[in-house]
Amino acid sequence: MCVSRRWVKCMESSEAKISVIIPVYNTGSYLGECLCSIIHQTHHNIDILLIDDGSTDLSLALCDKASAIDPRIRVIHQVNGGLSRACNTGISLARGKYLSFIDSDDYAHPKMLEILLKNLIQGACDVQCCDSTSVGFKGLEFSKAKNQLFSNDEAISKLFDDNAYKCYARNKLYKKELFEKIRYSGGRLCEDIQTTHKIFKISKCIGYIRQPLYFYRIRRESITQSYRFDENRDFIDAINGVLSDSKFLADRYYDRLSVGYMINYLAYINLKLRNRSAIASDIEWLSSFLHSHWPLLFRHRNISIKHKIALPLYCRIVTIVG
C-alpha cells in the first residue's frame, strides 16, 4: 500500500477521530457559517458536539436542524451555565481521541483539522497549535510554514507572547487524555489561561505552525469584547495563579503580565470611581494591589512618566475612598 493510501486509512480509523466541541449561546446569526466550516473539513473523521447552553434565539432550531442533516453532529441542550460548563460537558461526552474547541460565532479554514492532526502525529505532540486571525484574513501560506516543536516550559512561556498562539482554548488540537483530570473553571472569566497552562504543563511536546487557520469574529457583545471590571480582575488573578505555579515564568514575565495589564485596569477603576459605581470589594482589591505593586508599576516601561508620578496619589485616593 502506498504511503498516501496508508495515511488515508489511518485518518479513517478510530485512532484519528476528532471531537469538535462547539459551545452555543445565542449566536444564531453566525452559527451556520461556523457549522459549515466544520462539516466541510477535509478531515472527515470528526465527532461534532453542539452544546446548546440555554439559547433563546434561533440557535436552538439551527442546532437541531444540523443534527438531522449530518449524523456526525450531536446536540446537547442544557440550562445556561456559561462557556466553561459547556466546554466541560463536551469534554465528558467526546468520543474522539483528540479534542478541538471552536466558538460558535467563529469559523475554521477547511484544512484546519487536517493540518493540525498531521503535524501533531508527525511531531509526536500532545497539543498542536496554529495562529488565529480576524474574520476576512486571506494571507494563508501553506508551503512556507514549518511546524515548531516546544517543550512544556517553552510552550508555556509563548502563551504570553502576543505574536504566538495565546492561551485560548481555540486554535489548538489536544489529545483527549490530557483532560482526564483537568476541566475549565466555572463561574470565572478568562478561564482559558490557567486551564491551557495546566494542559501544557503535563504535555511533553507542543507543536506550533504559523498559519492562521482559525478565524475569530470581533463582536461588541461577545465575552472577550465586553469590558468588565470582573474580567480584568479575573484576568490578573489567573495570571498570578500561573506565575505562582512557575518560578521560570514569574522571573521572566511578572512585570510585563501582572503589571502591564494594570494600565487599562487603573483607567477603568478610575472611571468607576468618577461615576461612583465602584463597590467596596472593587476598591479593596485595587487598593491592595496598588500598595503591593506600585514599585513595579513605577518601573514599567509602558507606563508614562505622568502616570508614574500619579501612582502614589492613586494609592492614597483609593485608600481614602475605600
Side-chain angles (χ1 to χ4, degrees):
M1 187 183 293
C2 68
V3 174
S4 60
R5 287 184 179 178
R6 266 202 315 270
W7 178 255
V8 170
K9 188 173 181 180
C10 172
M11 292 300 98
E12 292 174 348
S13 71
S14 60
E15 290 297 299
K17 183 180 285 293
I18 298 173
S19 286
V20 182
I21 299 169
I22 309 176
V24 179
Y25 180 70
N26 290 351
T27 50
S29 300
Y30 314 104
L31 181 58
E33 187 173 22
C34 172
L35 268 175
C36 212
S37 75
I38 299 303
I39 290 170
H40 294 104
Q41 285 288 307
T42 53
H43 181 77
H44 304 290
N45 192 4
I46 55 179
D47 163 41
I48 305 171
L49 293 100
L50 297 177
I51 314 298
D52 169 42
D53 193 38
S55 294
T56 56
D57 70 346
L58 60 102
S59 301
L60 191 66
L62 285 174
C63 286
D64 291 334
K65 184 177 179 180
S67 65
I69 296 172
D70 192 323
R72 297 175 300 174
I73 296 176
R74 289 184 286 152
V75 181
I76 294 87
H77 298 292
Q78 63 183 36
V79 176
N80 180 259
L83 181 62
S84 294
R85 182 167 174 261
C87 287
N88 292 338
T89 297
I91 293 168
S92 299
L93 298 174
R95 296 169 179 167
K97 182 177 180 180
Y98 304 97
L99 299 181
S100 182
F101 300 90
I102 183 167
D103 292 344
S104 57
D105 52 351
D106 298 339
Y107 62 85
H109 186 276
K111 289 189 174 182
M112 185 183 81
L113 295 179
E114 176 188 342
I115 292 172
L116 291 181
L117 182 59
K118 184 176 181 179
N119 281 284
L120 183 145
I121 291 173
Q122 291 180 345
C125 299
D126 298 306
V127 183
Q128 178 64 44
C129 313
C130 67
D131 280 335
S132 59
T133 189
S134 57
V135 167
F137 183 80
K138 303 294 183 183
L140 295 174
E141 297 181 353
F142 293 102
S143 59
K144 296 182 180 180
K146 292 183 179 180
N147 197 30
Q148 298 173 267
L149 304 180
F150 302 119
S151 67
N152 51 10
D153 271 347
E154 291 172 327
I156 290 170
S157 70
K158 286 188 175 292
L159 284 174
F160 306 117
D161 183 344
D162 291 337
N163 296 316
Y165 39 76
K166 299 183 183 287
C167 59
Y168 308 124
R170 68 195 190 200
N171 75 311
K172 299 173 182 64
L173 183 68
Y174 311 83
K175 285 185 177 179
K176 183 186 175 183
E177 64 194 48
L178 296 172
F179 287 89
E180 186 176 340
K181 295 181 179 179
I182 295 175
R183 290 292 188 273
Y184 289 96
S185 302
R188 295 293 298 270
L189 299 166
C190 310
E191 69 285 336
D192 291 359
I193 296 172
Q194 289 203 59
T195 303
T196 304
H197 161 256
K198 290 175 184 176
I199 290 293
F200 277 25
K201 188 177 179 181
I202 63 172
S203 299
K204 294 179 180 178
C205 176
I206 295 92
Y208 168 46
I209 186 163
R210 193 175 286 277
Q211 290 180 342
L213 303 173
Y214 185 101
F215 299 87
Y216 60 86
R217 193 180 305 276
I218 299 174
R219 296 189 296 125
R220 286 185 179 180
E221 66 270 28
S222 70
I223 292 176
T224 54
Q225 294 303 310
S226 336
Y227 200 88
R228 293 185 284 178
F229 184 89
D230 286 343
E231 181 172 2
N232 280 279
R233 187 158 151 180
D234 283 355
F235 185 90
I236 299 299
D237 286 346
I239 289 292
N240 284 335
V242 172
L243 296 177
S244 66
D245 194 41
S246 171
K247 187 177 185 304
F248 166 75
L249 288 175
D251 291 344
R252 187 171 179 180
Y253 291 99
Y254 188 86
D255 280 13
R256 180 157 69 90
L257 293 173
S258 193
V259 179
Y261 282 101
M262 287 302 295
I263 300 170
N264 289 334
Y265 191 97
L266 286 168
Y268 188 66
I269 190 61
N270 184 49
L271 180 63
K272 291 196 75 171
L273 289 169
R274 284 183 183 179
N275 295 336
R276 301 185 181 278
S277 59
I279 60 175
S281 61
D282 294 345
I283 297 169
E284 182 183 353
W285 190 91
L286 183 65
S287 176
S288 174
F289 188 94
L290 284 172
H291 281 88
S292 300
H293 299 86
W294 78 264
L296 290 173
L297 285 162
F298 193 80
R299 293 200 307 269
H300 202 273
R301 63 185 180 184
N302 291 334
I303 300 179
S304 68
I305 296 295
K306 178 178 70 175
H307 286 103
K308 285 178 179 178
I309 294 172
L311 279 173
L313 184 60
Y314 259 121
C315 292
R316 182 162 179 78
I317 290 174
V318 171
T319 303
I320 293 171
V321 173

